[in-house]
Amino acid sequence: MNDKSLTHLDEQGRARMVDVSAKPETLRIAIAKGEVRLKPETLDLIRQGLMKKGDVLTVAQIAGIMAAKRTADLIPLCHPLPLHQVEVTLTLEDALPGVVITASARTTAKTGVEMEALTAVAVSALTVYDMVKAVEKTAQITNIRLVEKHGGQSGDVINE
């Protein structure tokens, strides 16, 4: 690995934000997924709307959207991006059992939106955990990953 491949380090090995000023603005799209594994009984409570803190899926959806918009405040070397769209969906899956979270982010910018999609999934998952912890102490946040990315110099990436 040569020094030029370490884009987040300067010549002295210190962290730095990458200069993207010479890059063209292109449409950027990223999709991320993750799961929160739960007991079937907890899934039933969510489905029936019986969680004491309220509507788990709606609150987690809004939390994910808000988190995507704050990614640059949370991840030190991320560029702030003008997000054109963030979608977060949460699906109850009996086969898991648990909640499957999918987030997509879209912008036209000089750098990608992978971190925004991943942050949306992570914070949505943390919100689900927070909303169910009173009835289930064994919930597990798992498998947060980038599923797809489109745009930019590195091109498309499809991981599943």
Side-chain angles (χ1 to χ4, degrees), residues 64-138:
I65 293 168
M66 291 174 64
K69 295 177 358 179
R70 300 295 305 264
T71 299
D73 295 332
L74 300 169
I75 310 295
L77 301 178
C78 280
H79 294 84
L81 296 176
L83 294 174
H84 300 318
Q85 182 180 37
V86 176
E87 289 186 17
V88 178
T89 59
L90 294 94
T91 307
L92 300 179
E93 291 287 340
D94 292 321
L96 194 56
V99 180
V100 175
I101 303 163
T102 304
S104 65
R106 177 186 296 260
T107 191
T108 300
K110 295 173 181 264
T111 189
V113 288
E114 297 94 328
M115 294 309 299
E116 287 73 10
L118 288 162
T119 299
V121 170
V123 172
S124 289
L126 288 167
T127 302
V128 170
Y129 185 94
D130 179 57
M131 302 227 13
V132 304
K133 69 184 180 195
V135 298
E136 182 175 345
K137 305 290 188 215
T138 58

Side-chain angles (χ1 to χ4, degrees), residues 47-61:
R47 188 175 281 118
Q48 296 169 33
L50 298 175
M51 297 302 295
K52 290 184 180 182
K53 286 191 172 187
D55 182 345
V56 173
L57 302 182
T58 298
V59 173
Q61 177 187 36

Side-chain angles (χ1 to χ4, degrees), residues 1-8 16:
M1 180 180 289
N2 62 39
D3 289 340
K4 292 196 182 291
S5 66
L6 301 174
T7 60
H8 282 81
R16 68 177 176 124

